[in-house]
Amino acid sequence: MKFLSIPTYLNIDLRFELASAGARFGAYLIDWAIKWVYIIAVSFISIDTLSINNLVLSFIIYTPFIFYSFLFEWLNKGQSPGKYLLKIRVVGVEGNYPSVYQCATRWLFLGADTWIFSLFMAIHQAFSALAIFSPLVGGLLILLSDKQQRLGDMAANTVVVKTKEKIIFIEDTIYAYATKASGYKPKYPEIMRLSDKDINSIKLLMEKGDRLMNPAIAAKLAQHIKNLLKIESNEDNFEFLKQLLNDYNYYAINDEK
Protein backbone atom coordinates (compact mmCIF):
# COMPACT_ATOMS: atom_id res chain seq x y z
CA MET A 1 0.00 0.00 0.00
CA LYS A 2 1.09 3.57 -0.70
CA PHE A 3 0.62 6.71 1.38
CA LEU A 4 0.50 10.41 0.60
CA SER A 5 2.04 12.70 3.23
CA ILE A 6 1.06 16.36 3.19
CA PRO A 7 3.08 18.78 5.34
CA THR A 8 1.17 21.50 7.20
CA TYR A 9 2.34 24.69 8.86
CA LEU A 10 1.69 22.90 12.17
CA ASN A 11 4.69 20.62 11.55
CA ILE A 12 2.40 17.59 11.60
CA ASP A 13 1.92 15.73 8.34
CA LEU A 14 -1.51 14.76 7.08
CA ARG A 15 -1.19 11.13 5.98
CA PHE A 16 -3.61 9.53 3.52
CA GLU A 17 -3.60 5.92 2.36
CA LEU A 18 -3.95 5.87 -1.42
CA ALA A 19 -6.78 3.78 -2.84
CA SER A 20 -5.74 0.60 -4.61
CA ALA A 21 -6.29 0.08 -8.33
CA GLY A 22 -8.71 -2.76 -7.45
CA ALA A 23 -10.88 -0.50 -5.26
CA ARG A 24 -10.95 2.18 -7.94
CA PHE A 25 -11.88 -0.33 -10.64
CA GLY A 26 -14.63 -1.73 -8.42
CA ALA A 27 -16.03 1.79 -7.88
CA TYR A 28 -15.81 2.35 -11.66
CA LEU A 29 -17.89 -0.77 -12.34
CA ILE A 30 -20.52 0.18 -9.73
CA ASP A 31 -20.84 3.67 -11.16
CA TRP A 32 -21.20 2.35 -14.69
CA ALA A 33 -23.85 -0.13 -13.56
CA ILE A 34 -25.82 2.73 -12.00
CA LYS A 35 -25.44 4.83 -15.13
CA TRP A 36 -26.68 2.06 -17.39
CA VAL A 37 -29.66 1.33 -15.16
CA TYR A 38 -30.52 5.04 -15.41
CA ILE A 39 -30.03 5.17 -19.17
CA ILE A 40 -32.24 2.12 -19.72
CA ALA A 41 -34.94 3.53 -17.42
CA VAL A 42 -35.08 6.96 -19.07
CA SER A 43 -35.01 5.39 -22.52
CA PHE A 44 -38.25 3.55 -21.75
CA ILE A 45 -39.79 6.66 -20.22
CA SER A 46 -38.81 9.03 -23.02
CA ILE A 47 -39.83 6.68 -25.82
CA ASP A 48 -42.94 5.03 -24.44
CA THR A 49 -44.31 7.71 -22.13
CA LEU A 50 -43.23 11.09 -23.49
CA SER A 51 -43.08 10.14 -27.17
CA ILE A 52 -41.09 13.30 -27.79
CA ASN A 53 -38.09 13.59 -30.07
CA ASN A 54 -36.60 16.84 -28.88
CA LEU A 55 -32.86 17.51 -28.75
CA VAL A 56 -33.02 19.91 -25.80
CA LEU A 57 -35.27 17.61 -23.80
CA SER A 58 -33.01 14.66 -24.57
CA PHE A 59 -29.99 16.60 -23.35
CA ILE A 60 -31.77 17.45 -20.08
CA ILE A 61 -32.84 13.84 -19.57
CA TYR A 62 -29.38 12.45 -20.26
CA THR A 63 -27.45 15.14 -18.36
CA PRO A 64 -27.17 12.98 -15.19
CA PHE A 65 -25.59 10.24 -17.33
CA ILE A 66 -23.21 12.59 -19.12
CA PHE A 67 -22.12 14.58 -16.07
CA TYR A 68 -22.48 11.76 -13.53
CA SER A 69 -18.92 11.70 -12.19
CA PHE A 70 -18.50 15.48 -12.23
CA LEU A 71 -21.75 16.19 -10.38
CA PHE A 72 -21.29 13.52 -7.71
CA GLU A 73 -17.62 14.29 -7.04
CA TRP A 74 -18.32 18.03 -6.84
CA LEU A 75 -21.54 17.92 -4.81
CA ASN A 76 -20.54 14.96 -2.64
CA LYS A 77 -17.01 16.11 -1.78
CA GLY A 78 -15.11 13.71 -3.99
CA GLN A 79 -17.35 10.64 -3.80
CA SER A 80 -19.53 9.03 -6.42
CA PRO A 81 -21.87 6.22 -5.26
CA GLY A 82 -19.27 3.66 -6.32
CA LYS A 83 -16.52 5.42 -4.39
CA TYR A 84 -18.79 5.76 -1.37
CA LEU A 85 -19.54 2.03 -1.33
CA LEU A 86 -15.86 1.14 -1.75
CA LYS A 87 -14.85 3.74 0.90
CA ILE A 88 -12.59 5.80 -1.32
CA ARG A 89 -12.62 9.53 -2.11
CA VAL A 90 -11.05 12.06 -4.47
CA VAL A 91 -9.02 14.74 -2.68
CA GLY A 92 -6.64 17.45 -3.78
CA VAL A 93 -2.94 16.74 -3.34
CA GLU A 94 -2.97 19.28 -0.49
CA GLY A 95 -5.58 17.27 1.39
CA ASN A 96 -8.54 19.48 0.49
CA TYR A 97 -11.91 18.41 -0.84
CA PRO A 98 -11.78 18.72 -4.65
CA SER A 99 -12.81 22.09 -6.08
CA VAL A 100 -15.31 22.47 -8.91
CA TYR A 101 -12.33 23.10 -11.22
CA GLN A 102 -10.62 19.88 -10.13
CA CYS A 103 -13.82 17.85 -10.52
CA ALA A 104 -14.44 19.33 -13.97
CA THR A 105 -10.87 18.59 -15.05
CA ARG A 106 -11.11 14.97 -13.91
CA TRP A 107 -14.39 14.65 -15.80
CA LEU A 108 -13.01 16.22 -18.99
CA PHE A 109 -10.09 13.78 -18.95
CA LEU A 110 -12.30 10.70 -18.61
CA GLY A 111 -12.14 10.33 -22.38
CA ALA A 112 -8.36 10.60 -22.46
CA ASP A 113 -7.99 6.89 -21.76
CA THR A 114 -9.85 6.13 -24.99
CA TRP A 115 -7.74 8.32 -27.27
CA ILE A 116 -5.41 5.53 -28.28
CA PHE A 117 -8.37 3.32 -29.20
CA SER A 118 -9.95 6.19 -31.15
CA LEU A 119 -6.82 6.30 -33.27
CA PHE A 120 -7.13 2.58 -33.99
CA MET A 121 -10.81 3.05 -34.88
CA ALA A 122 -9.85 5.78 -37.33
CA ILE A 123 -7.73 3.19 -39.14
CA HIS A 124 -10.51 0.58 -39.28
CA GLN A 125 -13.90 0.07 -37.63
CA ALA A 126 -12.91 -3.48 -36.72
CA PHE A 127 -10.78 -2.00 -33.94
CA SER A 128 -13.88 -0.57 -32.20
CA ALA A 129 -14.12 -3.76 -30.16
CA LEU A 130 -10.91 -2.71 -28.42
CA ALA A 131 -12.79 0.12 -26.70
CA ILE A 132 -13.80 -2.25 -23.91
CA PHE A 133 -10.14 -2.29 -22.86
CA SER A 134 -9.93 1.51 -22.49
CA PRO A 135 -10.09 1.40 -18.64
CA LEU A 136 -6.85 -0.59 -18.74
CA VAL A 137 -4.97 2.55 -19.85
CA GLY A 138 -6.06 4.42 -16.73
CA GLY A 139 -5.39 1.31 -14.67
CA LEU A 140 -1.81 1.08 -15.93
CA LEU A 141 -1.19 4.73 -15.07
CA ILE A 142 -2.59 4.16 -11.57
CA LEU A 143 -0.28 1.19 -11.05
CA LEU A 144 2.83 2.87 -12.46
CA SER A 145 2.57 6.45 -11.14
CA ASP A 146 4.00 7.44 -7.75
CA LYS A 147 0.70 8.81 -6.45
CA GLN A 148 -1.44 6.23 -8.26
CA GLN A 149 -2.97 8.85 -10.53
CA ARG A 150 -4.67 8.43 -13.85
CA LEU A 151 -4.28 11.16 -16.46
CA GLY A 152 -7.27 13.11 -15.12
CA ASP A 153 -5.79 13.09 -11.61
CA MET A 154 -2.49 14.40 -12.90
CA ALA A 155 -4.21 17.23 -14.77
CA ALA A 156 -6.48 18.11 -11.83
CA ASN A 157 -3.78 17.68 -9.17
CA THR A 158 -5.88 15.15 -7.27
CA VAL A 159 -5.45 11.68 -5.79
CA VAL A 160 -7.90 9.00 -4.68
CA VAL A 161 -7.56 7.92 -1.05
CA LYS A 162 -9.14 5.40 1.27
CA THR A 163 -11.72 6.69 3.72
CA LYS A 164 -12.98 5.16 6.92
CA GLU A 165 -16.25 5.83 8.68
CA LYS A 166 -15.70 8.30 11.50
CA ILE A 167 -17.17 7.54 14.92
CA ILE A 168 -16.20 11.01 16.11
CA PHE A 169 -18.35 13.11 13.83
CA ILE A 170 -16.35 16.20 12.97
CA GLU A 171 -18.29 18.11 10.34
CA ASP A 172 -17.16 19.14 6.90
CA THR A 173 -16.41 22.83 7.39
CA ILE A 174 -15.29 25.10 10.18
CA TYR A 175 -18.73 26.73 10.20
CA ALA A 176 -20.33 23.41 11.10
CA TYR A 177 -18.92 23.68 14.62
CA ALA A 178 -22.18 25.36 15.49
CA THR A 179 -22.50 27.03 18.85
CA LYS A 180 -26.09 25.87 19.27
CA ALA A 181 -26.44 26.54 22.97
CA SER A 182 -27.82 30.00 23.73
CA GLY A 183 -25.51 32.17 25.75
CA TYR A 184 -22.42 30.42 24.44
CA LYS A 185 -19.26 31.90 25.96
CA PRO A 186 -15.99 31.50 24.02
CA LYS A 187 -12.78 30.93 25.93
CA TYR A 188 -10.00 31.65 23.50
CA PRO A 189 -10.29 34.91 21.48
CA GLU A 190 -6.66 34.33 20.45
CA ILE A 191 -7.93 31.79 17.91
CA MET A 192 -8.87 34.63 15.54
CA ARG A 193 -5.18 35.20 14.90
CA LEU A 194 -5.31 32.09 12.71
CA SER A 195 -6.64 32.08 9.16
CA ASP A 196 -9.41 29.92 7.67
CA LYS A 197 -6.69 27.80 6.04
CA ASP A 198 -5.00 27.27 9.42
CA ILE A 199 -8.30 26.26 11.02
CA ASN A 200 -9.04 23.82 8.23
CA SER A 201 -5.60 22.27 8.74
CA ILE A 202 -6.49 21.74 12.41
CA LYS A 203 -9.83 20.23 11.42
CA LEU A 204 -8.22 17.85 8.95
CA LEU A 205 -5.68 16.73 11.53
CA MET A 206 -8.48 16.09 14.01
CA GLU A 207 -10.30 13.96 11.46
CA LYS A 208 -7.38 11.59 11.06
CA GLY A 209 -7.57 8.32 12.91
CA ASP A 210 -9.92 5.38 13.10
CA ARG A 211 -12.30 5.40 16.05
CA LEU A 212 -10.48 7.95 18.20
CA MET A 213 -8.02 10.66 17.37
CA ASN A 214 -4.46 9.53 17.92
CA PRO A 215 -3.58 10.88 21.41
CA ALA A 216 0.00 11.64 20.33
CA ILE A 217 -1.22 13.79 17.43
CA ALA A 218 -3.77 15.52 19.68
CA ALA A 219 -1.10 16.32 22.27
CA LYS A 220 1.40 17.60 19.70
CA LEU A 221 -1.22 19.68 17.91
CA ALA A 222 -2.65 21.16 21.12
CA GLN A 223 0.80 22.04 22.48
CA HIS A 224 1.87 23.63 19.21
CA ILE A 225 -1.21 25.88 19.19
CA LYS A 226 -0.78 26.80 22.86
CA ASN A 227 2.81 27.86 22.18
CA LEU A 228 1.87 29.69 18.99
CA LEU A 229 -1.03 31.65 20.51
CA LYS A 230 0.42 31.91 24.04
CA ILE A 231 -2.57 30.08 25.54
CA GLU A 232 -2.53 28.34 28.92
CA SER A 233 -5.04 25.54 29.39
CA ASN A 234 -5.36 22.33 31.40
CA GLU A 235 -8.21 20.96 29.29
CA ASP A 236 -8.05 17.53 27.72
CA ASN A 237 -6.22 17.95 24.40
CA PHE A 238 -9.11 16.82 22.24
CA GLU A 239 -11.63 18.96 24.16
CA PHE A 240 -9.25 21.92 23.90
CA LEU A 241 -9.07 21.56 20.12
CA LYS A 242 -12.86 21.26 19.81
CA GLN A 243 -13.25 24.35 21.97
CA LEU A 244 -10.90 26.28 19.71
CA LEU A 245 -12.95 25.37 16.65
CA ASN A 246 -16.22 26.26 18.39
CA ASP A 247 -14.72 29.59 19.41
CA TYR A 248 -13.51 30.30 15.90
CA ASN A 249 -16.99 29.53 14.60
CA TYR A 250 -18.54 31.82 17.21
CA TYR A 251 -16.29 34.78 16.44
CA ALA A 252 -16.46 34.29 12.66
CA ILE A 253 -20.28 34.22 12.65
CA ASN A 254 -20.59 37.23 14.96
CA ASP A 255 -18.08 39.23 12.93
CA GLU A 256 -20.27 38.73 9.85
CA LYS A 257 -23.35 40.15 11.54
Side-chain angles (χ1 to χ4, degrees):
M1 67 183 65
K2 291 185 178 180
F3 291 87
L4 174 69
S5 293
I6 303 168
T8 70
Y9 92 107
L10 296 163
N11 298 319
I12 303 173
D13 288 352
L14 292 171
R15 195 163 183 261
F16 296 92
E17 184 179 347
L18 296 173
S20 66
R24 293 183 65 168
F25 186 65
Y28 172 86
L29 291 178
I30 292 171
D31 286 331
W32 265 101
I34 293 171
K35 286 194 284 187
W36 279 111
V37 168
Y38 174 83
I39 210 74
I40 292 170
V42 298
S43 296
F44 279 116
I45 294 172
S46 61
I47 294 172
D48 297 336
T49 305
L50 297 178
S51 298
I52 297 175
N53 184 18
N54 183 289
L55 185 60
V56 175
L57 181 61
S58 296
F59 177 77
I60 293 171
I61 290 174
Y62 292 108
T63 289
F65 176 84
I66 298 169
F67 297 101
Y68 176 95
S69 61
F70 165 68
L71 291 173
F72 270 113
E73 289 180 3
W74 173 39
L75 298 175
N76 199 37
K77 297 181 176 63
Q79 281 189 311
S80 63
K83 289 183 175 66
Y84 174 79
L85 291 173
L86 272 294
K87 294 187 175 5
I88 59 177
R89 181 191 297 276
V90 178
V91 298
V93 294
E94 294 182 352
N96 56 289
Y97 289 125
S99 66
V100 61
Y101 166 78
Q102 288 175 311
C103 293
T105 302
R106 293 186 87 255
W107 173 77
L108 287 171
F109 274 81
L110 281 174
D113 297 340
T114 65
W115 288 347
I116 187 171
F117 297 104
S118 298
L119 291 174
F120 281 124
M121 289 171 63
I123 297 171
H124 197 283
Q125 273 308 108
F127 289 112
S128 60
L130 293 174
I132 62 172
F133 298 107
S134 60
L136 295 178
V137 177
L140 285 173
L141 285 173
I142 291 169
L143 290 172
L144 297 176
S145 62
D146 289 339
K147 296 178 182 177
Q148 298 186 180
Q149 296 169 298
R150 65 174 178 82
L151 199 57
D153 289 313
M154 296 175 188
N157 219 19
T158 57
V159 292
V160 181
V161 300
K162 289 186 176 181
T163 61
K164 296 179 181 179
E165 185 177 358
K166 294 188 288 287
I167 304 301
I168 297 174
F169 294 97
I170 299 178
E171 301 297 335
D172 293 324
T173 69
I174 58 172
Y175 294 104
Y177 290 87
T179 51
K180 297 179 181 178
S182 59
Y184 176 83
K185 294 182 180 180
K187 294 182 180 180
Y188 307 112
E190 299 91 340
I191 191 64
M192 295 309 292
R193 288 162 51 192
L194 300 184
S195 67
D196 286 358
K197 183 177 180 180
D198 296 335
I199 296 297
N200 276 306
S201 293
I202 295 171
K203 179 184 70 68
L204 283 168
L205 286 164
M206 290 178 69
E207 287 178 343
K208 302 309 292 175
D210 296 330
R211 294 181 176 274
L212 293 172
M213 183 182 182
N214 187 314
I217 293 178
K220 187 175 181 180
L221 178 58
Q223 190 58 51
H224 185 89
I225 295 172
K226 288 175 185 177
N227 293 338
L228 183 68
L229 301 180
K230 304 297 190 292
I231 293 175
E232 293 185 5
S233 173
N234 294 320
E235 283 187 276
D236 171 79
N237 290 322
F238 187 72
E239 293 303 318
F240 170 72
L241 294 170
K242 287 202 297 183
Q243 180 69 44
L244 286 177
L245 292 166
N246 278 324
D247 286 358
Y248 188 90
N249 178 62
Y250 172 85
Y251 286 117
I253 290 174
N254 283 280
D255 282 348
E256 291 175 357
K257 293 181 179 178

